[in-house]
Amino acid sequence: MQQALRTFFLKEYSNEKYAAYLSEIESFAQTKLEFRVAETPVFISKDLKLKMEETADAVIEFIKEKDFKKLTDQSIPMEFKMPGENDFPQLMVFDFGICKNKAGEIEPQLIEMQGFPSLFGFQYLCDALTKKYNSIPENYDSYLNGYKGDSYIQLLKEIIIGNEDLSSVVLLEILPQQQKTLIDFKITEKILGIKTICITDLIAIDNKLFYKNSENLIQIKRIFNRMVFDDLSKFPELKHIDLTKEYQVEWVTHPNWFYRISKYMLPFTHHRYIPETYFLNEIKYPVPLHEFVLKPLFSYAGMGVIINVSQNDIDQIKDPENWILQRKVEYAEVVQTPVGNSKLEIRLFYFWKEGWDKPIAVHNLARLSQGEMIGTRYNQDKTWVGGTIAYFEK
């Protein structure tokens, strides 16, 4: 994992620079960080980057197949199936665990994918400030396929805002002020110029959607969707409109894609860097459970995952069609830190602009962990872990 760069970074590091980095993030966003940000970026070789892109491209070819929607229709819960779905997801992400194979070689393994946005605004700022406080070699970049900070923001504007007035485009979430990702919403507002609103702020008149700005009703033409519809069940007291009706609005991305491009796809995809995966309800013969991880299809951030699976865990499941068994992979402790080596997961951001034949990789997010689970919620009491950014060898 680019040992020379890691050694150089550790020599340059200081707690004062790290504190200033975090302070400037919060100052720019005008809100507090609610998740842990790691002390270090990570440096990725060209070979490892190409292996991740090769795997994502194989999945993308499957998404482009003409019967893809038919194969994934059952992934969408009937209560959340929404009209007005477009032909492709404008935004998607691929999560790779950095692992060791049986020969002890470092390789990526595709752990999850989502037809849903990520911390697109936060990672733009993370890159800019990481470069401000650290020496990043010129032949390494967090952006992919020739994009830079300015062109990345321009592409985000073209995809999310399109040709609409800024006032007609909103970022939609459930109780955004209570979300751990609020800082990303604030940064997105600042760099794109759009407003964040709660689902409870939507007003439906006939087949159009509006929100109130001061005393004026503003029609919404495009929605940058950050809302996971499953989460509505956590807030039964919320009063909101029925979004399963058809409205004159364009979603970026349409909510159906959250379900189509998800862990639901893994049993259909086969590649050397995709772990063997089965729908729980389709397993007809005994499997060595100690070699597999049990995952709910429609959770995220690692919630509900059972790493050490027992037959009792299987027997307790009432909806096996909504669960998968995925072969375990061995996350490698590849990132050297002053408090021990950390495990690494890298999320590649793929954008699909109108007129493009397929999506392309543009940017990334990385996570460091020293526990069993990857994710900022599992590393709150540790240092040198949490969210960060990867720099890829050109």
Side-chain angles (χ1 to χ4, degrees):
M1 294 295 290
Q2 312 305 82
Q3 187 58 43
L5 289 176
R6 177 113 311 271
T7 301
F8 178 75
F9 175 84
L10 291 174
K11 284 183 178 179
E12 270 203 331
Y13 173 81
S14 74
N15 290 329
E16 291 74 21
K17 283 200 299 184
Y18 175 61
Y21 166 69
L22 296 182
S23 176
E24 191 159 351
I25 290 174
E26 293 183 335
S27 176
F28 183 93
Q30 291 296 291
T31 193
K32 290 285 186 183
L33 273 163
E34 296 294 340
F35 54 86
R36 193 173 202 288
V37 175
E39 286 83 343
T40 177
V42 295
F43 302 99
I44 305 299
S45 70
K46 187 186 304 183
D47 176 64
L48 190 57
K49 176 192 73 170
L50 291 174
K51 287 175 179 176
M52 287 188 281
E53 291 179 319
E54 169 198 317
T55 310
D57 284 344
V59 175
I60 287 166
E61 288 306 309
F62 174 57
I63 294 169
K64 290 174 61 182
E65 290 182 7
K66 63 180 180 180
D67 60 347
F68 174 77
K69 285 194 174 185
K70 182 178 179 181
L71 281 170
T72 57
D73 268 342
Q74 291 186 15
S75 70
I76 309 169
M78 285 305 299
E79 65 269 30
F80 299 132
K81 198 163 191 175
M82 293 179 54
E85 182 181 333
N86 52 354
D87 293 333
F88 61 91
Q90 302 97 327
L91 308 164
M92 67 180 81
V93 300
F94 294 85
D95 289 348
F96 293 91
I98 306 306
C99 303
K100 275 186 181 176
N101 61 24
K102 291 181 180 178
E105 300 164 330
I106 301 298
E107 65 180 21
Q109 287 288 327
L110 180 63
I111 303 303
E112 192 167 343
M113 61 203 100
Q114 296 176 355
F116 191 73
S118 187
L119 302 180
F120 296 153
F122 185 84
Q123 289 307 107
Y124 161 79
L125 183 62
C126 182
D127 169 72
L129 295 182
T130 299
K131 289 174 179 173
K132 177 178 177 179
Y133 288 98
N134 302 279
S135 300
I136 305 298
E138 289 187 4
N139 62 324
Y140 281 76
D141 205 334
S142 66
Y143 294 99
L144 297 153
N145 287 303
Y147 281 90
K148 298 293 181 185
D150 290 347
S151 55
Y152 170 79
I153 294 301
Q154 181 59 35
L155 180 60
L156 266 179
K157 288 179 177 179
E158 291 169 2
I159 290 173
I160 294 172
I161 299 166
N163 296 317
E164 299 296 343
D165 292 335
L166 287 176
S167 62
S168 298
V169 184
V170 298
L171 186 159
L172 183 66
E173 177 57 291
I174 304 166
L175 303 176
Q177 297 295 325
Q178 298 181 23
Q179 300 294 334
K180 288 185 179 297
T181 49
L182 174 63
I183 196 164
D184 176 66
F185 306 157
K186 294 291 188 181
I187 294 168
T188 302
E189 288 180 353
K190 207 162 183 178
I191 61 180
L192 297 188
I194 62 177
K195 185 179 178 65
T196 297
I197 67 169
C198 178
I199 185 175
T200 57
D201 296 326
L202 293 176
I203 300 166
I205 301 176
D206 298 326
N207 66 339
K208 296 178 181 178
L209 294 178
F210 299 83
Y211 70 95
K212 188 172 285 189
N213 187 11
S214 298
E215 295 304 313
N216 300 316
L217 281 181
I218 308 295
Q219 185 180 352
I220 301 169
K221 302 290 185 66
R222 292 168 77 91
I223 293 174
F224 178 33
N225 183 40
R226 294 301 307 272
M227 180 178 70
V228 176
F229 275 66
D230 285 8
D231 284 352
L232 284 172
S233 61
K234 301 175 185 176
F235 305 98
E237 73 284 0
L238 286 185
K239 304 298 181 185
H240 56 84
I241 66 170
D242 181 3
L243 282 174
T244 63
K245 295 181 179 179
E246 189 158 9
Y247 298 99
Q248 288 185 17
V249 69
E250 184 170 359
W251 293 83
V252 183
T253 59
H254 191 281
N256 291 356
W257 287 107
F258 173 80
Y259 299 99
R260 293 192 188 279
I261 300 178
S262 65
K263 290 188 286 286
Y264 187 88
M265 283 178 57
L266 289 170
F268 297 105
T269 54
H270 306 282
H271 190 275
R272 59 179 172 158
Y273 301 129
I274 300 179
E276 178 184 5
T277 307
Y278 303 96
F279 290 114
L280 187 58
N281 65 316
E282 293 183 359
I283 296 176
K284 305 301 181 187
Y285 53 87
V287 297
L289 292 179
H290 66 281
E291 295 181 6
F292 287 81
V293 176
L294 184 62
K295 295 183 176 183
L297 279 175
F298 304 119
S299 71
Y300 52 98
M303 292 186 290
V305 173
I306 301 174
I307 294 177
N308 300 307
V309 187
S310 69
Q311 187 59 48
N312 184 60
D313 294 321
I314 303 291
D315 295 340
Q316 295 297 314
I317 291 174
K318 307 302 182 186
D319 56 341
E321 70 280 3
N322 291 324
W323 291 74
I324 56 171
L325 275 176
Q326 184 180 66
R327 185 169 291 280
K328 283 182 179 178
V329 296
E330 183 185 353
Y331 277 72
E333 295 180 343
V334 291
V335 180
Q336 179 188 358
T337 82
V339 294
N341 289 1
S342 292
K343 300 171 185 176
L344 172 62
E345 192 169 278
I346 296 175
R347 169 173 289 183
L348 295 185
F349 299 167
Y350 274 72
F351 292 178
W352 197 338
K353 185 181 172 183
E354 184 75 41
W356 287 1
D357 178 57
K358 65 177 185 179
I360 64 170
V362 293
H363 201 20
N364 83 91
L365 172 156
R367 298 187 184 102
L368 294 174
S369 175
Q370 292 184 359
E372 274 196 321
M373 297 288 287
I374 297 283
T376 54
R377 71 174 64 236
Y378 305 105
N379 290 273
Q380 291 292 336
D381 59 342
K382 297 180 174 69
T383 59
W384 292 86
V385 294
T388 184
I389 192 165
Y391 287 90
F392 303 106
E393 183 182 18
K394 294 181 184 177

